[in-house]
Amino acid sequence: MIGVIADDATGATDVAAALSRAGLRTALALTTDLDRWRGDADALVLGLKTRSVPAADAVRQSLEAWEALAAQGAERVFLKYCSTFDSTPDGNIGPVTEALAGRLDTRTVVTTPSAPLHGRTVYQGHLFVGDRLLHETHMADHPRTPMRDSSVPRLLRAQARWPVELLPLAVVHSGTGAVRDHLEALGANGAVHVVADALDEADLDVLASAVRTAPVVAGSAGLVGAIGRASSAGSHVPSRPPAGRTAILAGSCSHRTLEQIAVFRDLGRPLYQLTGGPGQSANGLADAALRWWDRLADDAPALIASSQPPEQRASAPEGTADLYEEATGLIAAGLAERRLRRLVIAGGETSGAVVSALRTRVAEIGEEAAPGVPWIHDREHELHLLLKSGNFGGPTLFADVTGDVPGDGTGAGTGAAT
C-alpha cells in the first residue's frame, strides 16, 4: 500500500485524486486515529494541517502520521506539499522531509513540486506557474506563505539542515538508469534533498520509475500520480455524489477563488460575506451566517465567504484569519445539523478547520469536479465534501457544482454579528 502524508486537507484530496485517477482504490484519512479503520485500499492518504504550524509541531504530527500509515501496512511514504511550494524560511517542507528520512533510514529523497496537469513545472530548479516564475505570480503576496523566490533549491536550503542538490532535466531525459546513477552519486557525496526538474508527465514517469520503491519521496501530486501509474494494474472507477442542495464555504484569498466567487455572485446566486471586527466572536459570526441561510429557499444553493483580496486580508487585524477559520468550521457543523449533505470548501486552512469541526475521519475518493478536486464521501456522517485548493478549478466551478439555474438576486447579504 502507498502511504501519503499531506500538509493540508486540500492537498490531501489533490493527491488522492491523482492516485484514484491512476486506477488505485484510494482512501483519505483526516486523522491519525486509524485503529478502528478496516478499509481495503491500494493507497491511503493522510491529510494533516501542518503547512503553517511551527516546524517542531509539523515534524511531530508527521511522524505520528507515518506510524499510523505503517500500522495500516504502508512500507514507504510520499510527503505531499503544495505545487507552489507554500512554506516559509523556517519550514515545514525541509524539516518534515528530514524527519521522515531519518525515521525510515534513507539516504536521499527526491523532491519536486512539478505538476504539469496544474501548470506547475520545474526547470534548472526554478518553479514555474504556467509561463511565469513563481515569485512573479499572485503567490508573492500570499497572506500566510508569501513566495518571493522561484528557486526550489534555495527555498529548501533556507529551511533544511542537510545538503540540497539538483537533478537536472538533461539527466531525466537520459532515462531511468541515468537518474538512478545520478542519485547514487549525489547520495555518495552527502546530498539528502534532490530537487528534480520535470516539464511534463513523461519526465515524471521517468522519475517515478527510478524512485517507485524508495522509502521516502516528496513533492506535489504530479510525482505521486506518476508513482501510482507505475504501481497500478487496477481500473477503479470513482463514484459520483448524489444531486442535492449545495453550500459553498470559501476562505481562500487566491485569485482563482476570488474569480469563482465573482462568477457565482454575477449569476445572482445567494452570497453572504463574513465580516469580522474588534470584539467579535466565531460563534457570533457563525450564528449570523446560519440565520441568513435559514431564510433562504429550501432548495437554494448559497455561498458563505470570508475570502478577500490579499491586500485587504493583509491589512486586517492580527488573528482575523483564525477567527474566520473557526467561524467557518462552526458554520459547516451547523449546516450538517440541518441535514445538508453537499459542502464545497475553498482553501487549505479553511478545509482543515471544516473537517475538524465535522469530525471527518476517513472518506472515500469520488469523481473529480475539476482536476485535483475530487468529491469525498464521509460515510460515517453521510456527507459529500469537495475540498478545493485555492488555486484549483476553473472560474465557473462554484456555479457548475451548484447547478445551472441562477438565483433571483435576492439572497445577497453581509454580516457583522453582535
Side-chain angles (χ1 to χ4, degrees):
M1 187 178 69
I2 297 175
V4 182
I5 299 171
D7 64 0
D8 77 347
T10 57
T13 59
D14 178 25
V15 72
L19 290 164
S20 178
R21 200 181 307 127
L24 277 68
R25 296 168 300 163
T26 305
L28 172 63
L30 296 165
T31 174
T32 57
D33 181 15
L34 298 176
D35 291 345
R36 291 175 294 172
W37 182 63
R38 293 293 181 268
D40 185 16
D42 303 310
L44 177 58
V45 180
L46 211 163
L48 303 177
K49 194 173 186 286
T50 54
R51 182 170 297 174
S52 303
V53 304
D57 292 341
V59 166
R60 176 182 55 78
Q61 292 180 44
S62 298
L63 291 176
E64 290 174 356
W66 162 245
E67 297 300 332
L69 290 170
Q72 293 295 329
E75 297 180 351
R76 58 194 190 277
V77 66
F78 189 98
L79 174 63
K80 197 279 179 189
Y81 55 76
C82 187
S83 61
T84 46
F85 207 79
D86 296 13
S87 56
T88 71
D90 296 325
N92 293 332
I93 296 168
V96 172
T97 300
E98 291 175 352
L100 290 169
R103 180 62 60 86
L104 279 80
D105 193 26
T106 187
R107 186 166 62 182
T108 57
V109 178
V110 170
T111 183
T112 182
S114 179
L117 179 68
H118 301 309
R120 278 58 155 168
T121 54
V122 180
Y123 179 61
Q124 294 184 345
H126 288 81
L127 177 53
F128 288 81
V129 178
D131 60 357
R132 300 171 66 192
L133 287 162
L134 174 66
H135 72 272
E136 297 174 348
T137 71
H138 67 281
M139 288 301 299
D141 298 316
H142 192 282
R144 287 184 181 268
T145 53
M147 304 306 296
R148 294 181 178 145
D149 191 355
S150 301
S151 169
V152 179
R154 272 200 304 266
L155 290 166
L156 196 48
R157 287 187 187 112
Q159 53 183 267
R161 294 183 298 113
W162 297 343
V164 179
E165 296 294 342
L166 178 67
L167 178 62
L169 191 66
V171 175
V172 177
H173 283 176
S174 296
T176 299
V179 169
R180 288 178 176 152
D181 291 344
H182 197 78
L183 291 174
E184 185 68 25
L186 290 176
N189 288 327
V192 173
H193 307 271
V194 180
V195 177
D197 281 349
L199 298 183
D200 54 30
E201 298 293 343
D203 294 337
L204 292 177
D205 287 337
V206 170
L207 292 172
S209 179
V211 303
R212 184 170 65 86
T213 60
V216 184
V217 182
S220 71
L223 181 53
V224 77
I227 291 173
R229 291 193 295 272
S231 306
S232 174
S235 57
H236 172 68
V237 178
S239 62
R240 175 175 296 185
R245 190 182 186 189
T246 306
I248 303 167
L249 304 178
S252 168
C253 297
S254 74
H255 177 70
R256 178 46 53 89
T257 296
L258 295 174
E259 277 187 314
Q260 291 161 344
I261 291 171
V263 169
F264 189 92
R265 180 194 60 228
D266 292 346
L267 284 171
R269 294 181 177 170
L271 169 63
Y272 184 93
Q273 184 72 43
L274 288 179
T275 305
Q280 291 186 311
S281 69
N283 282 316
L285 289 173
D287 287 346
L290 289 169
R291 287 196 299 271
W292 172 82
W293 169 271
D294 290 339
R295 293 195 295 269
L296 298 176
D298 289 345
D299 59 349
L303 192 159
I304 299 173
S306 62
S307 303
Q308 297 172 319
E311 61 274 12
Q312 287 183 240
R313 181 63 69 90
S315 64
E318 185 177 354
T320 299
D322 293 335
L323 174 68
Y324 285 150
E325 286 171 21
E326 183 181 356
T328 305
L330 293 170
I331 292 165
L335 292 171
E337 289 173 359
R338 288 159 171 78
R339 303 192 65 77
L340 187 74
R341 292 293 173 254
R342 288 168 49 110
L343 276 172
V344 177
I345 320 298
E349 299 293 333
T350 305
S351 293
V354 166
V355 297
S356 177
L358 294 173
R359 300 181 181 179
T360 297
R361 292 167 43 83
V362 181
E364 299 171 4
I365 300 302
E367 183 181 70
E368 290 176 270
V373 189
W375 285 97
I376 67 171
H377 184 194
D378 175 356
R379 288 189 180 274
E380 184 178 356
H381 300 102
E382 270 311 310
L383 286 167
H384 294 268
L385 306 173
L386 194 71
L387 308 180
K388 186 194 86 73
S389 176
N391 295 309
F392 283 12
T396 65
L397 177 65
F398 290 169
D400 294 341
V401 298
T402 55
D404 298 325
V405 181
D408 61 7
T410 61
T414 185
T418 59

